[in-house]
């Protein structure tokens, strides 16, 4: 997940030689903003401040509350990493920030009366969010330590773990006003008899991308795709393949229309598709089939984890993506049909492929 | 779990010098069938195609549906390993196949109106089973990567994990017809007032062996014992000790008669007994006591995991066996009273003991 | 967690040169008693037989049943380690004993009609406790094997895991008489409308320390503080800071008064405070802030885990302490603002600090 050519070196490169998107990375004043924008982009594996900026604007397009919380989450998580003097290379790539974004958005989304727009958090809730975002920094480093020897990235696991732990407790404190979850979190909660129509598809795919950031807005979803495409067209394509594949699988197996249109079956699959489709695996026909396999399994397992969590009424978050992608990445090192890209060398699918094909032809 | 003398070498051995059961292992046409039969045997740690064949026939004796699903599961899982170009040594030992067998049987067993005979799966269900069996191959490799440095085998964990994930979701898709679980999965669901009788014992022990393969048929259970004994009499004996020990513990602590007669307390204990009783530990009096300890704990913990899973109505599968055996195998490397056998060197209890005693006397 | 100057060596030190508390450690007759007393002290990270003795007396002060069960647990767990010929250094430090103490106390506490005094266990229950205590020895070694490469201690995880597994099952056996849990285990079960008063504070802090050992007795809690202070005044202070901090956080966020006064919010936080506050991290202002962060998070997460376990009615035990402390210790190796102390070198906060400052000035 590190950031391309200039990542590991402390080389003295004239700022003007840098590609536009890397120009402010080591700037004394703007550097931190650059890292934070990258942090927003890293939610969908894009180590590029422009991607982060477009995604941030896409969130503001849906709701100013979510846009602001997104900024709060990434600033707190990245700031915590600075306070603790974490690895500078990881910080500059925005890797300490993206879980903070997600945990902030999740805590607001699931405690607001209106999931779609979100509500301004109370002071105790804001304190709670700040602690949760800061905690993701510690969990990220802990998982990086555990997974490092296996050359597998932490993915959004710090968010899932922290998110669950902080969501479970939030309803139990009188100082935090929150009703029961306003948002359905399991396929059971949708009407099974509704027919599939055209909006099931185009709204379902857009919403799936939006749901990665808890945005119930299919236009926001397509704007996020634009943000991804700025950095990698393959990743943008994979996100769409993942979301569309999930809708297809859910329709073929008779999943409830409401859950499909809402993007619930697809947001995990879209992330699995980006991760396996060229990012942590060199893109070949074989790895593309491997990715399709992962999309199908991720889609089914969303229903599975939803049911497991139903007795306590908790949302799945991106746990299915994390679980399936971890298993498929851990497995890959034993399969000669696949060409793994270690996290420290993963940049973009295009670049991974170029480097690999280069090394083959030479 | 690898297979004896001829495993690691690619040595040019005349086929006629091989023991009968290894004659077809590298045969261009029959090799794959050999690996699949070993895969069936590996469910109970027997790397021997004859064991696999006898067990397969024992399944057909109970139900042609289960026999056929067993073949489907092992072929898909082993075939997936070939497609992904997995480690050939592990493939030849049937190690990619046994979790596919179990996940196929479990998905049919728990979605059939009649648990005992099983029902022919619908097309969507068949697709679902094929994906689940293929997924066990990936999970097996992932766990092998994680556990490799600790010299502990994956056991049936790929089955348990994949089985739970696919079972949780299965009831939520309209295209897959399945009622609620027809089979009791927790001690609560049995009448506590029934008295223990002779059939509690002989049917309970047979059923416990049968339940390893989801066969509610005590005669099938004893036929499986014959399949094990063909390869290792110690393992066959241990399976009986495990099943009988579990019945004894459950009776002593007043467990419900129905669950004991059904073999539910015993199938995890039987597997624990085979694994610890000579296979991953050299059989000595001390390791035998260690095995008995494991049998007792595994028996109790079946009830424990059953209760943990009760809110979502899920079966325990072989999770108790995996948990207790992992803990006891991970622990063994710190206890000088025990002589561990690393998975790559484990063949049969008889052979493990011979090699160990050889190395001591030399 | 090992024990200071004389731990690793088998050096021939005249017994009279030893500090008083190490005089009986290698004594042929009293050695085992010394290890067991250390085992009691290790529950709160004190490798000192005097600490163990004072804590044992504090338990007897509350209830002779709990005092006796404490002895049973530590003797069985330490004895099991001897039978299995475990690492002698770890045994001499009492590290195989402390989880046995806790699992014994937990099984009695949650199956007694009166949680406060505990009931004398029946014979089947006593057998069950002996197996559970012996199992913690195996789980401790298993976790030590898994966590060793990451230089993180097992903490009370062997107790939490074994405790849950044995508690889940206990109510399902007719031979073990036990009603439903007599003790509230989740914030839901307390009246939310009760006002905070002075006893909320002084009883809440004392009870939090007591609850580490399942003692619903605030005076016992303060006596345990004395036992800790005999070995390390910093650890005693941290335990108080953890318990008081938890009460403060719970009050600020409107947690139910009954749960606060009962010490339920605080017993995990007190352990987190001891572990992070100087024991596994050199005490500096930065690590003190890190510890405060851990206290706040641990307090919230008690409510979280309680809610997760509510469907099966199980207690949290010390799982929140284990989870937060593991994450914060695993994370620390990536944060240059902190100075980690590997488990094998951790003695007391005072001694850790002295060695570190020594190495800096030299």
């Amino acid at each position: 997940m590190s950031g391309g050519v200039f990542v590991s070196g402390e080389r003295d490169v004239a700022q003007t030689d840098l590609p536009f998107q890397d120009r402010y990375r080591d700037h004394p004043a703007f550097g931190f903003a650059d890292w934070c924008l990258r942090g927003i982009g890293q939610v969908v594996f894009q180590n590029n401040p422009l991607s982060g900026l477009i995604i941030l604007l896409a969130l503001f397009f849906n709701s100013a509350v979510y846009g602001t919380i997104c900024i709060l989450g990434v600033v707190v998580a990245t700031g915590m990493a600075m306070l603790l003097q974490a690895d500078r290379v990881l910080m500059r790539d925005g890797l300490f920030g993206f879980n903070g974004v997600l945990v902030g958005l999740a805590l607001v989304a699931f405690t607001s009366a209106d999931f779609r727009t979100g509500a301004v958090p109370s002071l105790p809730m804001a304190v709670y969010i700040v602690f949760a975002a800061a905690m993701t920094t510690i969990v990220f480093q802990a998982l990086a330590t555990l997974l490092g020897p296996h050359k597998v990235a932490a993915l959004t696991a710090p968010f899932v773990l922290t998110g669950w732990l902080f969501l479970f407790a939030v309803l139990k404190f009188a100082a935090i006003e929150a009703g029961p979850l306003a948002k359905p979190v399991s396929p059971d909660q949708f009407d099974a008899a509704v027919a599939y129509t055209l909006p099931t598809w185009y709204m379902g795919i857009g919403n799936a991308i939006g749901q990665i950031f808890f945005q119930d807005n299919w236009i926001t979803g397509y704007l996020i795709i634009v943000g991804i495409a700025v950095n990698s067209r393959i990743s943008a394509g994979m996100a769409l393949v993942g979301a569309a594949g999930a809708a297809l699988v859910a329709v073929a197996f008779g999943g409830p229309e409401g859950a499909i249109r809402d993007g619930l079956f697809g947001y995990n699959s879209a992330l699995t598709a980006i991760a396996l489709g060229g990012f942590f695996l060199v893109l070949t026909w074989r790895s593309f089939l491997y990715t399709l396999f992962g999309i199908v399994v991720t889609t089914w397992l969303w229903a599975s984890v939803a049911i497991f969590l139903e007795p306590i009424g908790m949302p799945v978050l991106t746990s299915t993506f994390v679980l399936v992608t971890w298993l498929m990445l851990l497995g890959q090192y034993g399969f000669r049909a696949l060409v793994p890209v270690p996290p420290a060398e993963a940049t973009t699918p295009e670049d991974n492929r170029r480097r690999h094909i280069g090394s083959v032809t030479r």
Side-chain angles (χ1 to χ4, degrees), chain A:
Chain A
M1 272 206 225
S2 71
V5 190
F6 300 96
V7 148
S8 56
E10 300 288 323
R11 279 179 284 161
D12 212 305
V13 183
Q15 291 286 315
T16 45
D17 292 350
L18 285 167
F20 177 75
Q21 76 263 29
D22 289 334
R23 202 159 293 172
Y24 299 101
R25 208 172 190 182
D26 291 311
H27 192 284
F30 299 126
F32 186 75
D34 179 283
W35 306 350
C36 285
L37 288 175
R38 282 169 199 273
I40 298 170
Q42 286 283 14
V43 172
V44 284
F45 299 98
Q46 306 310 313
N47 181 8
N48 184 324
L50 295 181
S51 296
L53 185 62
I54 293 169
I55 292 169
L56 182 61
L57 294 175
L59 262 63
F60 270 106
F61 170 80
N62 180 51
S63 152
V65 173
Y66 283 128
T68 310
I69 293 294
C70 176
I71 295 173
L72 177 70
V74 77
V75 166
V76 168
T78 309
M80 183 74 168
M82 289 185 72
L83 280 178
L84 291 168
Q85 300 178 21
D87 187 276
R88 193 177 153 83
V89 171
L90 299 178
M91 265 194 283
R92 285 170 80 252
D93 282 351
L95 289 174
F96 280 106
F98 70 100
N99 286 287
V101 168
L102 290 171
V103 92
L105 294 174
L107 282 169
V108 169
F110 288 109
T111 58
S112 298
D114 182 347
F115 183 96
R116 180 159 183 147
T117 56
V120 178
S122 64
L123 182 66
M125 188 65 199
V127 171
Y128 201 69
I129 290 171
V130 166
F131 271 82
M135 188 68 193
T136 62
T137 302
I138 294 168
V139 180
F140 180 84
Q141 183 61 54
L143 290 178
T145 302
L146 284 179
L147 295 168
H150 301 294
K151 292 192 187 167
V152 168
L155 305 179
T156 57
F159 151 60
V160 174
L161 186 58
T162 312
W164 275 343
L165 288 171
F166 276 74
L167 272 174
F168 289 172
V170 79
L171 306 178
K172 299 301 156 184
F173 293 105
I176 298 176
E177 259 179 68
L181 290 195
K183 174 87 185 165
V185 291
S186 168
D188 285 350
Q189 294 162 288
F190 291 91
D191 185 346
V194 178
Y196 307 123
T197 58
L198 189 61
T200 312
W201 294 95
Y202 71 83
M203 288 174 67
I205 293 171
N207 275 328
I209 309 295
Q211 294 291 2
I212 297 173
F213 291 87
F214 300 95
Q215 303 304 299
D216 239 354
N217 184 322
W218 60 274
I219 299 171
T220 293
Y222 288 112
L223 292 175
I224 292 169
I225 290 286
V226 174
I228 299 173
V230 164
N231 191 52
S232 161
R233 265 167 285 184
I234 294 179
S235 285
M238 285 296 165
L240 290 173
V241 168
L248 201 70
V249 169
V251 165
F253 278 77
E257 197 271 347
I260 299 170
R261 177 139 47 108
D262 211 26
L264 292 180
F265 276 102
Y267 68 97
N268 279 287
S269 303
L271 287 171
T272 301
I274 306 175
L276 298 177
F279 194 81
F280 291 122
L281 276 174
V282 173
L283 186 61
T284 61
W285 276 107
R286 276 169 165 163
S287 75
F288 183 63
L289 291 175
Y290 197 66
T291 304
L292 289 183
F293 185 88
I295 290 168
V296 175
V297 172
T298 305
T299 304
W300 284 331
L301 298 196
W302 173 76
S304 179
V305 177
I307 287 152
F308 177 72
L309 292 173
E310 208 158 25
I312 45 169
M314 270 301 125
V316 175
L317 304 182
T318 51
S319 56
T320 316
F321 149 64
V322 171
L323 183 61
V324 174
T325 306
W326 267 354
L327 289 169
M328 296 188 76
L329 289 177
L330 281 167
Q332 71 176 341
Y333 291 100
F335 299 139
R336 270 168 302 133
L338 304 170
V339 186
V341 182
E345 297 169 23
T347 51
T348 60
E350 289 82 354
D351 191 41
N352 291 338
R353 204 172 137 79
R354 202 175 304 124
R355 273 180 292 133
H356 172 69
I357 292 171
S359 72
V360 164
T361 53
R362 241 177 278 142

